[in-house]
Amino acid sequence: MMAFRSVIALVSLLALPAVASDKLIQYIEYIGADYSAAVVDGNIVSEAEYGEMQEFSSLIAEEVSTAPAALQQQSAQLKQLIAAKAAEKDIQALTATMRQAVIAAMPSIPLPKQSPDLKRGAALFTTNCAACHGATAMGDGPAGAQLDPAPTNFHEMERYQARSAYGLFNTITLGVADTGMASFAHLDEQSRWDLAFYVGHIASKDIDTSKVPDAMIESGAVKDLLTATPKDVIQLYPDFGEALMSLFRSHPERFFQAKSKDPLVIAQQKLQLSADLYAQNPQAAYDQAVSAYLDGFELVENPLGTVNAPLRDQIEHSMMGLRQLLKDPMQKDAVAPRIAEIQSLLKQAQTELSETQLSGINVFLAALLILLREGLEALLVVAAIYSVAVKTDKPVLRHTVHIGWMGALALGVVTWFVSSYVIDISGASRELTEGYTALIAAAILFYMGFWMHSKTSAKEWSHFIQSKVQNAVSGGAYFGLGLVVFLAVYREAFETILFYQALWLQGGEQAQQSFIAGIASALVLLAIVGVAVFKFALKLPLKTFFGSTALLMLVLAIVMAGKGIAALQEAGTLSVSQLNLPTISWLGFYPNTQGVILQSVLVLIALVYLVRSRKG
């Protein structure tokens, strides 16, 4: 259901703190669900409700004052529509778009620690909510008789259609300002989820759920269903969307039990769902194909690579090719055979991995290669920049480098803790983080490479020597180089941590010593390479050092650019046009037109600059 999570820039991921996002979702959903109680056919039918619409739209404007411009514009438009007493369908369409944008801007969504319990939710409702909302949740409780606006009637289908389970959870947690709805934050988190699912299922409990495909239940789409409204799901899956949401809210245990399965099983289920959806909803089929790779196969790529690298490459290539077919209406007859081919390959991979329990030697090699592969690129960046600091006798730059890599590792540890115990980081969020981080680092490295090379030209070299290199590195360069160190190390740490989580589970208890030994061996090898690179760099003459370091930065920038494009393509953000060429991952070369074009342009710019600077 990645249609719910339309992607916006990395900056927007940092623009909305979690609490602000929760409030925004609450306000936006409240307006979408309750607007009909305030305005009908352009006339105000409840002054109290209409006042709330105006108040909440103003609160939304305050909350998005530092958010991306698009969300600010939508907030302003919402205020205008409410002031104009616009039609309900226009309000609901805009609030749906805004809610999806806010959710997309959140790096991840906190999930219930366990499946919500509707029986417990009913008991909690009786104790905490029935006085206002009524014993049967009709909004007719004795304590709510004098409230204006009146308490929610949870049997109203229209209101049900406009509220997500996550929005209900936020309302229970935060309350609703200037209404009788108080905050129930004193209840533990699981109790609030139990309540949210109980009240959220009431209006739909009589809907026939027999039409829901088993693959949809087993696909592990919990977080998407949590943040979607029933109306969203019906639009995405016209044939069974209503039944799907009713089943999710009335029997959440069936969905929560499905989310801890073998990644290869998840990949197969999502591919089957993609095949089932293709005829009626090609975009939904594409989203499931993307998720089959990100939330399924990619998590076992490294272990499979130690057992059968050609099979791993074949599956990866086939899954990427499937995306192209799903986007091309002229290739619709090729979709089913391609999915069947991938399913067969995935079953072969299951056999190769012996039901996900890897041998000790395979776990050792996987742990070793993951860290070597991810760490080498970051190590070269850190070594190159730190060598500049030492060679130019710049203590401030040395401190900046240390702050950069230590900060990145610290954030990596936080990422590990959060992804293990707090929230579930989706494959799409992972790839977006990696992709944008790599592209930002590539841009800065590319610039710094040109800056370093400028010090090797005759005129600049003379000036450089005269100033005794004391003023060669500006304060701005300190920040830029420190940021590159941080981004390079965090990107690799982020990916390594998430891959290690999967490997730890797949190896089982019997392979834990091999896992630790693989990490230790990789760290030793990386330390040896780092010392060698550092010592070699320091022995070079200063002019040669600047030239070689500049070349290394330009090469690393091109590598990172290729990896950034590949990550965004894997997340489904960028289209993919495959080429019949081999993958060279350590060079950031992936056989697709988009990445090759970007890397070729960067190479051309670098060559033109180098040639012109030599002539100068």
Side-chain angles (χ1 to χ4, degrees), residues 559-580:
V559 171
M560 284 192 175
K563 290 189 174 185
I565 292 296
L568 295 182
Q569 288 173 329
E570 289 176 355
T573 304
L574 294 180
S575 59
V576 182
S577 301
Q578 284 186 302
L579 300 172
N580 190 23

Side-chain angles (χ1 to χ4, degrees), residues 525-545:
L525 290 174
L526 286 172
I528 293 172
V529 172
V531 171
V533 170
F534 184 71
K535 294 294 186 183
F536 172 76
L538 291 182
K539 289 181 179 179
L540 293 174
L542 199 56
K543 184 175 179 179
T544 305
F545 168 80

Side-chain angles (χ1 to χ4, degrees), residues 496-552:
T496 300
I497 287 165
L498 296 176
F499 282 150
Y500 271 167
Q501 285 179 327
L503 181 61
W504 179 265
L505 295 175
Q506 291 154 15
E509 292 185 7
Q510 72 275 13
Q512 289 177 0
Q513 290 185 344
S514 299
F515 178 87
I516 295 170
I519 294 175
S521 300
L523 289 173
V524 170
L525 290 174
L526 286 172
I528 293 172
V529 172
V531 171
V533 170
F534 184 71
K535 294 294 186 183
F536 172 76
L538 291 182
K539 289 181 179 179
L540 293 174
L542 199 56
K543 184 175 179 179
T544 305
F545 168 80
F546 268 84
S548 58
T549 304
L551 182 60
L552 176 60

